[in-house]
């Protein structure tokens, strides 16, 4: 099926460091949205979507399509899942127009045009960013794919085998040495401990969606392997808290170089307060644009 996706860049959105498992196959990207395997190919403002019919049977069509034919219901359900995942409902032009008008932010906005913040499954996002500590994007991607292949469910699509991310319940049954074989290192202990908290319900990720930002961040930071940066990533990518502004090495370097060029001593707290005040309610989008531009912009330029 085809979906209209104006003001959207699929490649930038999938390769900007917010999600790590999509694989380029020809002109398309293959991956999973939660447990649903799909292939997505972009042609201008149109997304061409492939999904297995048997995988669509578990999706619920909208109420207006439930009384119609089965195929229409499947298409309706698939369109809603894809559009929600890629956040095609976000008013991206208005968000970008609200960015601060400075040379650095303007260059990042122009370079990242069409990049959208994905709505990720909460456990998958949390687990992935726990494994991201002190790792580059390529390494995080390799860890994610290894976890999927070893412990996730196989999901064929267009003649290729891809894998869904293993559930917290599945990870909770493993041992730390087993997880260390996935190149997790010390992160294995944290991932296992957090998986067991989520699996038992002691950490109710879905119920936490109702918490205000400050309390949500505090709850996330109580989990093993979650500090301020990982908590803000999960808030931004899994809870749609668009004000969350993760600060990693790339972003800290960008902030210090361009916004505090003559001030040598700026504390981490000072940077956080500046970002919240200066970038405002869509700070998460500004962060992702600055991050992707810092990593890819110079290389492209």
């Amino acid at each position: 099926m085809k979906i209209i996706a104006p003001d959207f860049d699929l490649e930038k959105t999938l390769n900007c460091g917010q999600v790590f498992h999509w694989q380029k196959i020809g002109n398309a990207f293959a991956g999973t949205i939660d447990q649903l395997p799909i292939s997505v190919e972009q042609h201008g403002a149109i997304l061409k979507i492939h999904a297995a019919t048997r995988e669509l049977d578990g999706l619920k069509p909208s109420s207006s399509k439930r009384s119609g034919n089965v195929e229409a219901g499947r298409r309706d359900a698939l369109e809603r899942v894809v559009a929600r995942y890629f956040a095609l409902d976000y008013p991206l032009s208005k968000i970008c127009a609200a960015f601060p008008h400075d040379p650095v932010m303007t260059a990042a906005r122009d370079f990242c045009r069409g990049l959208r913040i994905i709505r990720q499954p909460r456990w998958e996002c949390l687990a992935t960013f726990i494994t991201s500590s002190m790792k580059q994007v390529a390494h995080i991607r390799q860890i994610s794919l290894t976890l999927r292949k070893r412990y996730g469910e196989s999901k064929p699509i267009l003649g290729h085998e891809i894998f869904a991310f293993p559930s917290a319940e599945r990870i909770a049954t493993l041992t730390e040495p087993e997880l260390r074989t996935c190149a997790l290192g010390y992160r294995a202990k944290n991932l296992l401990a957090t998986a067991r908290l989520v699996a038992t319900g002691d950490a109710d990720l879905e119920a936490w969606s109702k918490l205000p930002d400050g309390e949500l961040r505090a709850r996330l930071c109580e989990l093993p392997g979650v500090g301020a940066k990982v908590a803000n990533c999960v808030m931004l990518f899994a809870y749609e808290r668009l004000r969350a502004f993760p600060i990693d090495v790339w972003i800290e370097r960008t902030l210090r170089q361009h916004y505090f060029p003559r001030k040598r001593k700026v504390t981490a707290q000072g940077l956080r307060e500046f970002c919240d005040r200066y970038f405002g309610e869509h700070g998460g989008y500004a962060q992702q644009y600055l991050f992707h531009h810092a990593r890819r912009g110079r290389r492209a330029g």
Side-chain angles (χ1 to χ4, degrees):
M1 65 173 294
K2 296 178 180 179
I3 296 176
I4 298 175
D7 204 6
F8 179 59
D9 190 307
L10 177 66
E11 188 277 333
K12 285 188 175 73
T13 297
L14 293 180
N15 288 332
C16 68
Q18 60 175 316
V19 68
F20 305 94
H21 69 279
W22 290 84
Q23 303 176 56
K24 190 74 181 292
I25 300 176
N27 293 322
F29 288 88
T32 59
I33 298 178
D34 199 359
Q35 297 295 308
L36 175 68
I38 69 168
S39 168
V40 187
E41 186 175 342
Q42 185 167 19
H43 299 275
I46 300 295
L47 297 182
K48 186 178 180 182
I49 313 295
H50 288 277
T53 300
R54 64 182 179 84
E55 297 283 355
L56 298 178
D57 288 338
L59 301 180
K60 295 181 179 179
S62 64
S63 56
S64 61
K65 298 289 182 67
R66 288 173 186 170
S67 60
N69 64 62
V70 174
E71 182 62 22
R74 287 173 177 156
R75 287 178 174 273
D76 173 69
L78 177 60
E79 180 174 358
R80 287 188 297 104
V81 167
V82 172
R84 185 183 186 284
Y85 181 76
F86 289 119
L88 299 181
D89 57 319
Y90 281 161
L92 192 58
S93 60
K94 292 183 179 179
I95 290 173
C96 292
F99 289 163
H101 295 285
D102 65 65
V104 179
M105 192 70 251
T106 298
R109 180 200 62 203
D110 292 344
F111 179 78
C112 298
R113 197 173 300 278
L115 190 161
R116 291 176 177 269
I117 300 296
I118 292 173
R119 291 183 175 102
Q120 296 186 40
R122 287 168 184 147
W123 159 247
E124 180 181 318
C125 180
L126 171 62
T128 300
F129 279 98
I130 286 175
T131 71
S132 74
S133 176
M134 304 300 292
K135 287 285 188 179
Q136 296 181 0
V137 169
H139 299 151
I140 304 168
R141 175 179 173 80
Q142 188 56 51
I143 290 172
S144 175
L145 292 175
T146 302
L147 285 170
R148 289 168 179 271
K149 288 180 179 179
R150 294 190 181 180
Y151 305 115
E153 185 179 348
S154 173
K155 300 281 187 176
I157 185 75
L158 292 180
H160 296 272
E161 187 177 29
I162 59 176
F163 296 84
F165 195 83
S167 65
E169 291 74 16
R170 178 69 178 101
I171 295 292
T173 65
L174 303 176
T175 64
E176 185 179 333
E178 286 176 318
L179 287 173
R180 281 181 175 269
T181 64
C182 299
L184 282 169
Y186 69 88
R187 303 161 196 82
K189 180 179 180 180
N190 292 330
L191 180 61
L192 181 59
T194 296
R196 288 174 175 170
L197 290 172
V198 174
T200 59
D202 290 334
D204 191 338
L205 301 184
E206 299 306 314
W208 289 0
S209 64
K210 300 177 182 179
L211 298 176
D213 286 0
E215 191 173 346
L216 174 59
R217 185 179 291 108
R219 290 287 186 92
L220 289 169
C221 285
E222 292 173 355
L223 298 174
V226 179
K229 182 257 183 176
V230 169
N232 279 320
C233 285
V234 176
M235 289 174 66
L236 177 60
F237 302 133
Y239 285 94
E240 298 181 64
R241 307 302 173 90
L242 299 187
R243 198 179 187 99
F245 196 104
I247 299 178
D248 69 344
V249 173
W250 286 96
I251 289 297
E252 182 173 349
R253 184 183 304 152
T254 297
L255 293 173
R256 291 184 184 277
Q257 178 180 352
H258 296 291
Y259 295 100
F260 300 94
R262 295 186 179 89
K263 194 172 182 179
R264 293 187 176 183
K265 293 184 179 180
V266 184
T267 65
Q269 179 64 26
L271 285 179
R272 288 194 292 270
E273 291 175 355
F274 166 77
C275 292
D276 184 67
R277 180 179 67 254
Y278 186 70
F279 296 105
E281 63 177 324
H282 296 117
Y285 260 95
Q287 186 273 355
Q288 197 62 24
Y289 279 41
L290 289 169
F291 176 79
H292 189 56
H293 184 234
R295 289 180 58 244
R296 297 289 184 88
R298 291 180 183 176
R299 193 183 313 166

